[in-house]
Amino acid sequence: MTSHQSTQTMKPATAAKKLGVYLEATPTEFREGAVSRAELNELQANPPQWLQDLRRDGPHPRPVVAAKLGVSIAGLARGGVTEPLTTEQIEALKQESPEWLVRERATQAEVRKEAARIKRKNTERTG
């Protein structure tokens, strides 16, 4: 009996998500083909210029925008940010510091503080 290993592939959208890039900004050949696990690993280990540029300059997908701004994805939506943003646009928002961003950052800080408190409480209980 011989073992036959099939190549695992994923949709470009899944690969883009794993790479932390906005799918629509990737090259056509990336968007139109399946990506194997080996190809994804290679892209992560040795990112080509287009991937380096996207990660540095954007446009960035919402999870990346939210992380760079220090808010949740829901907070982005509440602030009216529904489109991908470039690094330059994110930096401009940070400088501008609109009220919604200040409020959402405070909310996110409270959520993190509460999560840490619960984790400590659970650790004390089991430890």
Side-chain angles (χ1 to χ4, degrees):
M1 206 191 247
T2 59
S3 71
H4 184 306
Q5 188 171 3
S6 63
T7 304
Q8 267 189 319
T9 60
M10 61 193 83
K11 293 177 182 175
T14 303
K17 191 175 196 176
K18 289 180 181 283
L19 293 169
V21 295
Y22 180 55
L23 177 63
E24 301 306 316
T26 61
T28 305
E29 57 272 10
F30 180 85
R31 279 180 280 159
E32 292 180 351
V35 180
S36 71
R37 174 72 55 198
E39 289 169 331
L40 178 68
N41 290 341
E42 180 61 25
L43 286 169
Q44 289 172 323
N46 301 302
Q49 192 61 50
W50 65 264
L51 183 53
Q52 292 175 40
D53 294 345
L54 271 180
R55 285 178 168 167
R56 183 185 59 245
D57 303 325
H60 302 287
R62 285 180 308 164
V64 174
V65 173
K68 286 179 179 273
L69 289 173
V71 300
S72 66
I73 294 172
L76 279 182
R78 285 190 293 269
V81 178
T82 57
E83 296 298 315
L85 299 179
T86 63
T87 301
E88 191 176 307
Q89 291 169 314
I90 292 168
E91 291 305 315
L93 258 178
K94 285 180 180 178
Q95 291 297 316
E96 205 176 285
S97 198
E99 192 205 311
W100 72 264
L101 182 56
V102 173
R103 186 176 58 248
E104 291 299 334
R105 280 181 162 173
T107 299
Q108 191 70 0
E110 285 300 315
V111 167
R112 286 189 185 115
K113 196 186 303 180
E114 180 64 7
R117 184 190 69 76
I118 291 169
K119 186 176 181 180
R120 276 194 311 275
K121 186 176 173 184
N122 288 341
T123 303
E124 289 168 5
R125 230 186 266 158
T126 59

